[in-house]
Amino acid sequence: MRFVFSTDTLPETDRAALLREVYARSSLGCDIAPLGGALLSVTMDAVLPAPEVEVSAAGGTYAPMQASRGHSHITGEGVLISASAGRFGLSVSGDDMIAAGGGTLTVTPMHRPSRWLYPEGQEVAAVWVGRTALADCAPGLDLDQMRMLPAGLPGLSLLMAYARALRDAPAEGVLGQLAARQIAELAGLVLGQGRPETAASSVRAAHLAAVRHDMGLRFRDPDLTIAALAARRRISPRYLEMLFAETGATASATLLRLRLEAARQRLTDPSRRGERIATIAFACGFRELSTFNRAFRRHYGVAPGETRAG
């Protein structure tokens, strides 16, 4: 299930009231108000991959604003792990507001009243994991205290990258359940109580999801190699190939397939009939036309020229 929202779709005159009464209370779970006369502006993209597993991943932008979550908003127990490049203030259960963000991540117990203060517009990414989902993989974990996590904490970047990849390509059904459980297990590992055997599988899954996401964004770059992908994730090329081998594929074949599929899409596009095949090959990540021609024929059984839109 996916929830996408932007205040840009609301009339400015009614925006604050509609956001508070409809979206903040029912979907975002808090009351929201602008700061310093700024126009209330919020965008949100949230994914709930499996309703039966208490996990969601979200990302969005906030204009200067404040948000408060009282007892009337609380419907369950769990933690919100959030990251923001900008600075913001956070208070839990009426305690003094502390400075957060700016390179550190926060763990907020969402079953306790909380208050956020965003003095400037910023982009936010977050993962919510319910108590039940965490209890299955991290028994005994203390979910009642607000915590600050350094960005370099092992597994944390993987958790946030996995959540971002899930927002970019939402999964449902069996895949959604698997993704939700892996995020919960990885969150349990990050928070310190994950079981080693399940945590290890979640780390591998998060690495694989992050590499696939990176590959999907950068495959058109001819300098993108398996070694370069591994270096970006700070893992060895051998380990990267092992991750793909567990799925019955190879990293090299996956990268080649992305490039060939992109080339075939352009070749069959009637609006690109006048585009040279070499231009298409180079635009899709191939350095040499002969290499592209051989790979295309091997994969599709026909030459690139035979695939062109008529």
Side-chain angles (χ1 to χ4, degrees):
M1 179 167 35
R2 189 170 196 173
F3 169 72
V4 180
F5 167 72
S6 172
T7 50
D8 292 342
T9 63
L10 302 177
E12 291 186 11
T13 54
D14 302 326
R15 183 175 295 183
L18 288 172
L19 185 61
R20 280 197 301 268
E21 298 302 325
V22 179
Y23 292 96
R25 291 185 182 277
S26 63
S27 301
L28 303 179
C30 58
D31 282 326
I32 296 175
L35 280 183
L39 179 65
L40 195 57
S41 178
V42 176
T43 65
M44 183 62 62
D45 182 0
V47 174
L48 182 67
E52 62 274 24
V53 184
E54 297 179 326
V55 168
S56 65
T61 58
Y62 299 150
M65 57 171 253
Q66 58 183 334
S68 59
R69 181 177 173 84
H71 289 288
S72 63
H73 303 110
I74 297 172
T75 58
E77 296 190 9
V79 294
L80 184 73
I81 304 173
S82 57
S84 175
R87 305 292 296 183
F88 65 95
L90 172 61
S91 171
V92 176
S93 294
D95 293 341
D96 291 341
M97 186 164 285
I98 63 170
T104 60
L105 285 82
T106 58
V107 181
T108 307
M110 296 301 282
H111 49 281
R112 297 176 61 189
S114 307
R115 182 167 166 261
W116 294 264
L117 185 67
Y118 295 94
E120 57 187 18
Q122 53 194 276
E123 185 174 350
V124 178
V127 175
W128 176 81
V129 186
R131 183 183 290 275
T132 301
L134 279 172
D136 291 339
C137 59
L141 186 63
D142 182 6
L143 303 183
D144 295 325
Q145 303 302 317
M146 193 274 289
R147 298 169 56 185
M148 307 287 284
L149 303 177
L153 190 68
L156 187 54
S157 62
L158 286 175
L159 172 63
M160 303 309 289
Y162 197 163
R164 183 175 61 251
L166 187 60
R167 296 201 317 270
D168 291 341
E172 298 180 347
V174 175
L175 290 178
Q177 294 175 12
L178 178 61
R181 292 192 184 102
Q182 289 172 342
I183 286 179
E185 291 167 3
L186 190 55
L189 172 66
V190 168
L191 297 175
Q193 299 290 327
R195 292 198 300 263
E197 63 274 16
T198 57
S201 66
S202 294
V203 168
R204 291 196 300 273
H207 270 307
L208 182 59
V211 169
R212 280 176 166 166
H213 179 69
D214 201 16
M215 190 182 288
L217 292 176
R218 303 174 185 276
F219 70 87
R220 292 179 177 83
D221 181 357
D223 292 327
L224 184 67
T225 62
I226 302 307
L229 282 165
R232 288 175 57 82
R233 300 307 311 167
R234 298 183 181 179
I235 58 178
S236 69
R238 181 179 178 183
Y239 180 70
L240 188 152
E241 287 287 8
M242 183 197 73
L243 296 175
F244 278 85
E246 291 179 350
T247 69
T250 68
S252 301
T254 302
L255 179 58
L256 177 61
R257 177 179 55 79
L258 287 172
R259 287 170 170 166
L260 288 172
E261 288 176 351
R264 187 175 186 275
Q265 184 177 11
R266 294 178 72 147
L267 284 166
T268 56
D269 184 353
S271 67
R272 294 181 178 273
R273 281 194 298 265
E275 194 170 27
R276 297 176 57 197
I277 291 178
T279 301
I280 291 176
F282 299 150
C284 294
F286 291 92
R287 286 189 175 279
E288 298 180 0
L289 180 59
S290 59
T291 301
F292 167 68
N293 286 332
R294 286 195 302 270
F296 194 95
R297 181 182 288 276
R298 189 181 305 117
H299 189 78
Y300 291 110
V302 296
E306 299 174 62
T307 309
R308 299 222 68 155

